[in-house]
Amino acid sequence: SLKTSLRSLPAFLIQRKILPACLAAVEFGNVSTAALQAILDLVECVAEETYFEQDVLPFLLKLLGSTDVTVRLMLLSSAAKFIRLLSGKMIESKFYPGLQPYFKDADPRIRDQTIKCMSLLAPKMNQKTLNSSLLQHLAQLQRDPEYFAKNLHGMDDVVELNDVVEAARAAG
């Protein structure tokens, strides 16, 4: 498979040649799910934060604004591949603002994946955002009977994220 083949290539080749070519190929058109998955797999090989913030992050931010549920679900479920490259400042100023509408998304799968993604982001976020914005979104989700009716694991995810937020608050 492509993912297996990628593991055998040097990271600098992926970062400097293959990933830029893939990003350029999908820059002006709709991205297919297969192409998006390949790009998200390639992003996992990126090692330099500066390169990520300049060349990859704008693409990911564009995906955050997508109306395609499948694209947004893929982005959220692949967040662990790139969160390590996001600085707290980038999360606060760029990524989290694009993610906030997902807490109220009509599709409960998006809300569920958003909570799971936030458990990765929360440790890098500042106290003000954790205490105001994020906890407000969690409180709204806890009062949303539709979310829990369609997602039996929803409360567990909210409680787990609340534990992550509390740990981040204690550490910060």
Side-chain angles (χ1 to χ4, degrees):
S1 77
L2 177 62
K3 194 171 187 174
T4 307
S5 299
L6 289 175
R7 290 188 182 143
S8 66
L9 296 174
F12 75 89
L13 180 65
I14 292 171
Q15 183 171 312
R16 295 295 177 198
K17 297 290 182 186
I18 299 170
L19 183 56
C22 290
L23 291 173
V26 298
E27 183 176 357
F28 298 108
N30 288 337
V31 60
S32 72
T33 55
L36 177 57
Q37 190 59 60
I39 290 170
L40 291 170
D41 289 343
L42 290 169
V43 167
E44 194 171 20
C45 299
V46 172
E48 298 173 25
E49 288 180 24
T50 305
Y51 170 78
F52 175 81
E53 288 182 3
Q54 290 175 352
D55 297 324
V56 179
L57 184 58
F59 173 75
L60 297 177
L61 294 175
K62 182 179 172 185
L63 293 178
L64 274 177
S66 174
T67 56
D68 186 329
V69 172
T70 304
V71 167
R72 292 182 290 146
L73 283 171
M74 287 179 74
L75 179 64
L76 290 169
S77 64
S78 298
K81 296 177 181 181
F82 59 83
I83 294 290
R84 65 184 167 74
L85 295 165
L86 282 170
S87 66
K89 182 180 177 184
M90 282 293 132
I91 290 170
E92 296 282 338
S93 66
K94 303 218 184 258
F95 200 79
Y96 180 66
L99 200 59
Q100 287 187 52
Y102 288 21
F103 285 104
K104 297 178 182 177
D105 197 274
D107 191 320
R109 297 173 302 165
I110 295 288
R111 296 191 302 258
D112 180 53
Q113 285 298 316
T114 301
I115 290 174
K116 290 175 181 172
C117 180
M118 289 308 304
S119 67
L120 301 171
L121 291 172
K124 292 185 162 194
M125 295 172 71
N126 72 40
Q127 295 299 315
K128 182 179 178 186
T129 305
L130 291 174
N131 290 332
S132 59
S133 178
L134 182 56
L135 289 179
Q136 181 181 7
H137 287 301
L138 291 178
Q140 288 172 347
L141 279 174
Q142 287 178 322
R143 293 188 302 264
D144 182 357
E146 177 191 353
Y147 173 67
F148 292 109
K150 292 182 179 178
N151 181 1
L152 299 176
H153 303 291
M155 184 58 93
D156 294 339
D157 293 336
V158 171
V159 169
E160 180 181 328
L161 178 55
N162 193 39
D163 292 345
V164 169
V165 169
E166 289 302 319
R169 289 169 73 189

